[in-house]
Amino acid sequence: IATAGQSDNKRGHVVVQTGLDSELMHSNDAVLSRHVRLFADFVRRVTARRDLDFTGSVVGLERSTGQVIFMNSLRFNGQEVVPDNAAFEQVGRDVASCIKPFIYGFGIDQGVIGTDSQIDPLECTAPDGWLPEDSSVSPDTVSNFLVRSKNRAPVCVLNRAGYKKFLEFWSRIRQTKCSETDYKIANGFGSCAGMSTVDLASAYTIFPDGKLRPATMLLRIVRNGEEVRSKQPKYETVLRPTTSSEVTEMMRAIVDEETGGIAGATAGGLKRTAQLPRNIELAGKTGSAPLDVWCVTIHPKFVMAVHLSVVPPDERELDTSKIVSTYTSVPLAADILKEIYRLNPTLLEGKLLHQ
């Protein structure tokens, strides 16, 4: 397998070219290994459990094509960190709050909300009786609810836009039919909300132009100097470009140190933590589930998803209430971005939104 632009790894007269950046992947392994260990230490300390395994993964996709730029996955069993593909195959991992931009985007596309629309969380209802806990149930705007990642407002959006209609939309994003009747999807929980790291990175390629690009590895195969197979970019428009841009603009505020980020948490200092110049543009979203923490960042040229996960050996109850993305997946994403800026700064150049 040769990385893009290279042809030094040959078998006979056949050259397979991918978009993988081997230097970034090597660097990511070191960063990911360190953070999986830190995550393990933190989780064991707050849960008082020593029998847990942990996985970590990071995926970077070229935003315009879905080509994989880097893909790393590791597992820590308490003794050593080893390569492991399980994190890419864990399709049932709850994406938690990472689903919220899609819910708001769907609501905007359906014309039932706008970025400045007021929502009263006390008016939210769910047919199955479930309503999430929230730190505040005061009325606010859609934009503020997304930036602060409040939990009840997405339920209101599903009330207005239609739960079944959203499932049809979400099935197109996941590329798997989803028919479960469970309002917990409003907060990214349940089988319909489950994704792997690759899946989530691919889903976020719809921002900021509304086009979904499935993740792909192969660029082209050349045999005896002639191209015999190539991978052409393919995509499906799932959101209006204007809607996608509006949601992306809201997600810029999440990682913008000037706004303080999510509920004033350190996610707002992502750019600063990564030591990126102020002119570097990005947007992002985090998610915290009982066993999973996420951070997705959107850049002019690529989308990145990082994921840390707890793998318990049994069904015993595990108190993970203190395990949140702010102190786990966000620092991991910052350190990966720091390495990208050091090794391949051109990846971070450009405008996120085109006027």
Side-chain angles (χ1 to χ4, degrees), residues 50-349:
R50 308 292 299 179
D51 59 342
L52 306 171
D53 281 10
F54 305 87
T55 63
S57 54
V58 54
V59 174
L61 304 181
E62 188 177 65
R63 205 186 56 74
S64 61
T65 65
Q67 290 286 347
V68 178
I69 303 172
F70 49 83
M71 178 185 290
N72 303 74
S73 178
L74 300 174
R75 188 182 188 98
F76 180 52
N77 59 14
Q79 301 297 322
E80 59 180 345
V81 176
V82 296
D84 185 88
N85 286 330
F88 300 137
E89 300 162 355
Q90 292 173 333
V91 295
R93 310 307 295 196
D94 290 326
V95 299
S97 293
C98 289
I99 202 172
K100 292 174 182 175
F102 300 92
I103 294 176
Y104 290 119
F106 178 72
I108 293 171
D109 237 25
Q110 294 294 302
V112 297
I113 58 169
T115 58
D116 296 324
S117 296
Q118 286 278 326
I119 290 179
D120 185 350
L122 293 178
E123 296 178 354
C124 304
T125 61
D128 56 10
W130 174 84
L131 281 176
E133 294 182 0
D134 220 337
S135 58
S136 172
V137 289
S138 299
D140 209 337
T141 64
V142 164
S143 180
N144 285 338
F145 277 129
L146 177 56
V147 170
R148 295 167 183 162
S149 202
K150 296 301 181 182
N151 292 329
R152 287 205 182 181
V155 177
C156 291
V157 177
L158 293 184
N159 290 161
R160 298 183 188 184
Y163 175 79
K164 290 185 178 180
K165 287 183 178 180
F166 175 74
L167 285 188
E168 293 174 1
F169 164 77
W170 184 239
S171 294
R172 294 170 67 191
I173 299 290
R174 295 180 76 238
Q175 300 181 69
T176 304
K177 188 174 181 180
C178 188
S179 58
E180 181 181 280
T181 305
D182 186 350
Y183 256 69
K184 291 185 180 69
I185 196 172
N187 281 187
F189 298 110
S191 61
C192 280
M195 282 189 165
S196 69
T197 315
V198 177
D199 293 334
L200 191 60
S202 178
Y204 268 79
T205 62
I206 76 168
F207 302 109
D209 64 1
K211 298 172 183 176
L212 176 67
R213 288 91 169 175
T216 182
M217 286 283 289
L218 183 64
L219 279 175
R220 63 181 188 146
I221 296 177
V222 179
R223 179 179 290 121
N224 297 324
E226 294 185 8
E227 185 174 289
V228 294
R229 181 180 174 187
S230 63
K231 191 74 174 182
Q232 299 299 322
K234 69 174 189 177
Y235 53 80
E236 177 188 6
T237 300
V238 293
L239 276 181
R240 293 187 182 93
T242 51
T243 298
S244 187
S245 292
E246 289 176 355
V247 177
T248 304
E249 189 64 54
M250 289 190 284
M251 285 192 285
R252 289 179 71 167
I254 293 174
V255 294
D256 190 334
E257 58 187 315
E258 300 300 327
T259 67
I262 303 169
T266 55
L270 178 60
K271 187 188 296 186
R272 182 179 62 252
T273 304
Q275 299 177 8
L276 301 178
R278 292 181 64 86
N279 65 322
I280 297 294
E281 298 188 4
L282 71 155
K285 187 71 185 77
T286 63
S288 301
L291 299 176
D292 303 272
V293 285
W294 305 83
C295 183
V296 184
T297 56
I298 307 163
H299 309 268
K301 297 177 182 176
F302 73 103
V303 171
M304 180 178 78
V306 305
H307 176 217
L308 294 167
S309 179
V310 184
V311 186
D314 51 47
E315 298 298 321
R316 283 183 293 163
E317 187 174 346
L318 188 65
D319 181 7
T320 57
S321 58
K322 296 180 181 179
I323 304 171
V324 294
S325 57
T326 299
Y327 310 109
T328 53
S329 56
V330 170
L332 169 57
D335 280 353
I336 295 289
L337 291 175
K338 186 186 300 182
E339 285 298 289
I340 291 174
Y341 184 69
R342 181 178 70 86
L343 296 172
N344 191 355
T346 58
L347 268 180
L348 294 165
E349 295 176 352

